[in-house]
C-alpha cells in the first residue's frame, strides 16, 4: 500500500487513486509550478489566532451626565422698613416726638434750635406745635445723640403755644437740669429770639419762625 501513496511538493502523502491532487494543499501532482494555493485543511499549528469575543451590545460605562441648568439666584428684595418715629431723622418735616399721633401727617415748623456748643455743634433741630421733647433717644423731637450728659428721654421740653404764638421752656421728667440764659429753669419760662438753653454739655439758641410775622392760623390737613 505504501507504493500507491505519493508525496506532494509540500510533503503531504496522499493516494492518487482517490485524489487527483493533494487534498491537503490543493496542488496538482508534481506540476512543477511554484505557485501554491493556501492549504485547504490547515494543520492545527497553522490556525489563525482565535478572534476575541464580541463586545456586548450595551456598554457598561455610565452615560455622561446631562448638562445642568445654570443656577439663577432669586432677586434680592429689600425688606420693607415701616416708618416709625425712630426711623425719622432730626429736622424732618414729620414730627417724631412722643406725642405724635399720626406719623404720616405733616406738622408745620414753628422755629428752630441751633446747637452753639457741644458734640452736635452746628446742627439745627426743627420745633413743632405744642410740646417738643429733648433727649438722646430716637423717639425724642430734639435728638442730642452725641451728648452723653443729656438724659435719654425728656431731659427738657420746648413748648410752642399756638394761641399766644409764644415759646416756653420747662424741665423734663428726667434728673438732668435745664438752664435758660445761665439761670436754672424750675417752672415753665417764656423764651424769646436768641435765648440760649443749656442741657449737659449742649447749648441751643432759639430761632423762632412763628410769631408776630408768620403764623399757622389754619390747621394743615
Amino acid at each position: 500500500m505504501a507504493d500507491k501513496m505519493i508525496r506532494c511538493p509540500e510533503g503531504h502523502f496522499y493516494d492518487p487513486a482517490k485524489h487527483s491532487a493533494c487534498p491537503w494543499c490543493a496542488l496538482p501532482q508534481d506540476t512543477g509550478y511554484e505557485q501554491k494555493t493556501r492549504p485547504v485543511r490547515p494543520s492545527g499549528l497553522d490556525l489563525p489566532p482565535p478572534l476575541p469575543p464580541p463586545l456586548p451590545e450595551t456598554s457598561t460605562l455610565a452615560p455622561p451626565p446631562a448638562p445642568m441648568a445654570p443656577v439663577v439666584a432669586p432677586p434680592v428684595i429689600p425688606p420693607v422698613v415701616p416708618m416709625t418715629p425712630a426711623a425719622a431723622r432730626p429736622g424732618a418735616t414729620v414730627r417724631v416726638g412722643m406725642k405724635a399721633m399720626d406719623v404720616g401727617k405733616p406738622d408745620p415748623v414753628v422755629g428752630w434750635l441751633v446747637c452753639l456748643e457741644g458734640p452736635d455743634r452746628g446742627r439745627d433741630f426743627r420745633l413743632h406745635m405744642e410740646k417738643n421733647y429733648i433727649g438722646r433717644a430716637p423717639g425724642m423731637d430734639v435728638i442730642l445723640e452725641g451728648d452723653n450728659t443729656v438724659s435719654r428721654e425728656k431731659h427738657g421740653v420746648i413748648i410752642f403755644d399756638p394761641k399766644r404764638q409764644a415759646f416756653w421752656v420747662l424741665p423734663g421728667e428726667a434728673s438732668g437740669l435745664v438752664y435758660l440764659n445761665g439761670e436754672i429753669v424750675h417752672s415753665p419760662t417764656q423764651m424769646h429770639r436768641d435765648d440760649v438753653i443749656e442741657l449737659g454739655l449742649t447749648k441751643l439758641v432759639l430761632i423762632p419762625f412763628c410769631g408776630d410775622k408768620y403764623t399757622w392760623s389754619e390747621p394743615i390737613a
Side-chain angles (χ1 to χ4, degrees), residues 129-182:
M129 295 282 187
E130 300 176 348
K131 293 182 179 181
N132 297 267
Y133 293 97
I134 305 174
R136 290 186 294 111
M140 299 292 98
D141 296 285
V142 178
I143 306 173
L144 302 176
E145 55 187 353
D147 191 349
N148 292 329
T149 62
V150 174
S151 301
R152 281 187 52 84
E153 296 183 354
K154 301 181 180 180
H155 188 123
V157 186
I158 300 294
I159 297 177
F160 178 75
D161 183 358
K163 291 184 178 181
R164 297 185 180 182
Q165 298 290 303
F167 291 87
W168 300 79
V169 59
L170 63 154
E173 301 175 7
S175 60
L177 300 177
V178 179
Y179 295 87
L180 173 64
N181 298 327

Side-chain angles (χ1 to χ4, degrees), residues 37-61:
T37 61
R38 294 182 62 185
V40 177
R41 297 181 181 177
S43 62
L45 297 177
D46 298 331
L47 292 176
L51 296 176
L55 295 175
E57 295 182 0
T58 58
S59 175
T60 57
L61 297 177

Side-chain angles (χ1 to χ4, degrees), residues 2 4 7-8 15 77 92 110 122 161 164 172 177 187 196 215 218:
K4 295 182 180 181
R7 184 177 181 180
C8 73
D15 188 357
I77 301 176
V110 297
D161 183 358
R164 297 185 180 182
L177 300 177
S187 58
V196 176
T215 61
E218 296 295 333

Side-chain angles (χ1 to χ4, degrees), residues 181-213:
N181 298 327
E183 299 293 332
I184 191 171
V185 176
H186 295 285
S187 58
T189 305
Q190 188 171 358
M191 293 184 66
H192 305 280
R193 178 181 294 272
D194 298 330
D195 281 349
V196 176
I197 61 172
E198 184 177 350
L199 307 90
L201 300 176
T202 300
K203 290 184 178 181
L204 303 166
V205 59
L206 174 65
I207 308 296
F209 174 74
C210 292
D212 298 335
K213 187 175 181 180

Side-chain angles (χ1 to χ4, degrees), residues 111-115 123-125 127 134 142 158 197 204-206:
W112 298 267
L113 290 177
V114 179
C115 184
R123 293 183 61 185
D124 64 289
F125 305 91
L127 299 176
I134 305 174
V142 178
I158 300 294
I197 61 172
L204 303 166
V205 59
L206 174 65

